[in-house]
Amino acid sequence: MTDDGAAVVAAVEAVAERIEDERSYLTELDSAIGDADHGGNMARGWAAAADAARDLDEPDAQTVCKTVGKTLMAEVGGASGPLFGGSLVFASAELDGGVTPESAVAFAETYLEKVEDRGDARVGDQTVVDALTPAVHTFKKSIETDDRPPLEALAKAVDAAERGVAFTVPIRAKKGRASYLGWRSVGHQDPGATSVLYILEELLAVAADRLDAEIPDVDATSPTIPDEGEEAADATAPDPEDD
Amino acid sequence: MKKLINDPDDVVDEMLDGMTAAYPDRLRRLPDTQVVVRDDAPVDGKVALVTGGGSGHEPTHAGYIGDGMLDGAAAGDVFSSPTADEFEALIGACDAGDGVLAIIKNYEGDVMNFETAIELAEMEGVEVESVVVNDDVAVEDSLYTSGRRGVCGTILVHKAAGAKAAQGADLSEVKRVAEKVIDNVGTMGTALTSCVTPEKGEPTFDLGDDEIELGIGIHGEPGTERTELMSADEITDALTETVLDDLDLDPGQEVLTVVNGMGGTPQMELFVVNRRLQELLGEHDLETWDAWVGDYMTSLDMMGASITVCAVDDELKELLGAPADTPALTTT
């Protein structure tokens, strides 16, 4: 197995465990605005995905992602199957040459694009897109514009996703089952966006673990402030190696 | 609730086996899937028509597989979309190289799973087009919801597009006909009782003995309005007027009507509704070209009915009246 492949398998196992831990909370979020099946469907899907990933013989990262995507597509059902799984199948093509900062950005962008297209959703619709978009944009900027180390870029993406999840609470759903509730959807945290955050948090934890590094503390920085904050951002987001 | 069900987890699987056993020379189930296709699929020299959705709407979907209608259908669990891999298997099994038209009812799960499957099939070189049916006039089509639902009007899309495909038309022509039906059809339904899903075993929503729901979908979800029980004529008026308001037809327009039972309604009552429907169309100066009455798109054991009106021109009359030979619908 390539190192990249092994890392992705470890990440999938971590996600499966995390989603299982959060299963009832996700279902609770979904019962307020949907049909109360998000936690169960996701837990079942990720458990099957982790099994499928473990069964692969010496896979590379692309193969693991594609297999996990296909498994989620077949097992999760509803809208989450194509959103979480289908998008992964398509985005996995970007990892053709292994996982590099550049291919990771391309992967994230394709994933976001597929989710947006499939759900016909944009930021502000109270969906997974609200967590995914700031995470992907922050990751891309951190790598391409700010030239940050990948782990720090991922930490910033997680921070951005967290803000995105919080953003789903005060807005009104325009897509998904919650949209039929109209104004009654206001005040509820989107379960799908919450799952996105859990997945990203586990990716970060596994990445840090494999690099044998601490998770960078980026909590105090705003993920969306443009470039002139460069120095200030540096000051508040120290390189973990400096500690 | 008393049911002829062995185990809720097995109900779709057992239903599909029973269905293919009833029509062994017409229907075939793809191994390890909930996909049913024509026994002779893929049919050479013809655009393939495929559809699918949750189970519980029988005879939709597999009941309309056959000459002049569908080539195959994917069955999801009760009221749940089939998964994308099932749709992908369906498309693969029905494509004979002349392209595939996917007929999707407007429910987010159905749309997303089907679209994912279509994109995957296209990567394999299959030519696929899709249409989304959204005939339910009870739901406002606005920026703030996922739009009108696809309900009983879907059958007319299967019929007209299926006839067009049977004539040997190409994919773009078959799709054009499907869209023509979608543009000209509206449906509104009512529930006198909730349905009972196998999983839950009790009514999905509570409805008093003197109450009905207007504007229901087909998944046992509550409607847009709950009112006190009215007479059959009054209910028929309420449903029909809403549909006609939405369609806004010119006087003298010819229409096809469907009075559809929701699964637990006696035929006697459906004909009572049809009687008033036809009177009402006369009052609106509309001309009935054909009137269908029966269970076409059901919601398990729900008592209730939907009324569908479709404006027809010469082309649609030819196609809707063309021969079809399927387990649930035969026209000669």
Side-chain angles (χ1 to χ4, degrees), chain B residues 267-282:
Chain B
Q267 295 238 334
M268 175 188 279
E269 296 176 28
L270 298 179
F271 285 120
V272 168
V273 169
N274 188 53
R275 169 198 139 274
R276 175 59 192 158
L277 169 62
Q278 301 309 325
E279 277 179 12
L280 201 54
L281 294 175

Side-chain angles (χ1 to χ4, degrees), chain A residues 13-201:
Chain A
E13 289 177 322
V15 170
E17 203 171 307
R18 178 70 183 278
I19 296 285
E20 179 59 40
D21 288 347
E22 307 283 359
R23 178 184 186 144
S24 354
Y25 179 59
L26 289 171
T27 292
E28 190 186 313
L29 290 176
D30 194 26
S31 48
I33 50 162
D35 49 0
D37 60 359
H38 187 66
N41 288 346
M42 287 287 277
R44 187 181 63 245
W46 281 95
D51 285 344
R54 264 191 297 267
D55 287 348
L56 291 169
D57 187 31
E58 303 277 315
D60 51 31
Q62 183 188 12
T63 308
V64 181
C65 285
K66 193 169 179 184
T67 303
V68 168
K70 289 238 173 206
T71 310
L72 293 176
M73 233 168 63
E75 296 292 333
V76 178
S80 293
L83 286 175
F84 285 87
S87 307
L88 192 53
V89 173
F90 295 116
S92 68
E94 306 286 357
L95 302 179
D96 199 15
V99 182
T100 62
E102 293 72 31
S103 72
V105 169
F107 170 86
E109 285 191 300
T110 302
Y111 191 92
L112 173 61
E113 189 187 311
K114 291 295 170 188
V115 170
E116 284 180 334
D117 287 357
R118 194 66 68 220
D120 194 23
R122 297 293 175 266
V123 167
D125 291 349
Q126 202 186 60
T127 70
V128 290
V129 171
D130 292 325
L132 205 51
T133 303
V136 171
H137 287 185
T138 301
F139 186 66
K140 180 183 167 74
K141 173 174 176 290
S142 299
I143 296 283
E144 291 185 355
T145 309
D146 301 346
D147 209 17
R148 294 191 188 279
L151 194 62
E152 195 183 314
L154 190 52
K156 282 175 151 296
V158 170
D159 183 53
E162 204 174 327
R163 291 158 196 269
V165 170
F167 170 63
T168 64
V169 178
I171 60 176
R172 176 179 166 179
K174 296 196 192 70
K175 295 288 170 184
R177 268 185 212 248
S179 68
Y180 289 109
L181 291 177
W183 290 106
R184 278 190 290 152
S185 63
V186 174
H188 294 286
Q189 181 175 318
D190 183 64
T194 310
S195 286
V196 168
L197 175 62
Y198 294 154
I199 292 167
L200 291 175
E201 283 179 349

Side-chain angles (χ1 to χ4, degrees), chain B residues 29 39 59 74 79 96 117 130 165 169 189 248 259 298:
Chain B
R29 182 172 173 184
D39 191 50
F79 295 165
S130 64
D248 195 20
V259 174
T298 62

Side-chain angles (χ1 to χ4, degrees), chain A residues 73-74 78 82 114 118 176 180, chain B residues 83 85 108 113 115-116 119 147:
Chain A
M73 233 168 63
K114 291 295 170 188
R118 194 66 68 220
Y180 289 109
Chain B
T83 53
D85 55 315
E108 273 176 335
N113 282 290
E115 285 183 347
T116 300
E119 203 170 335

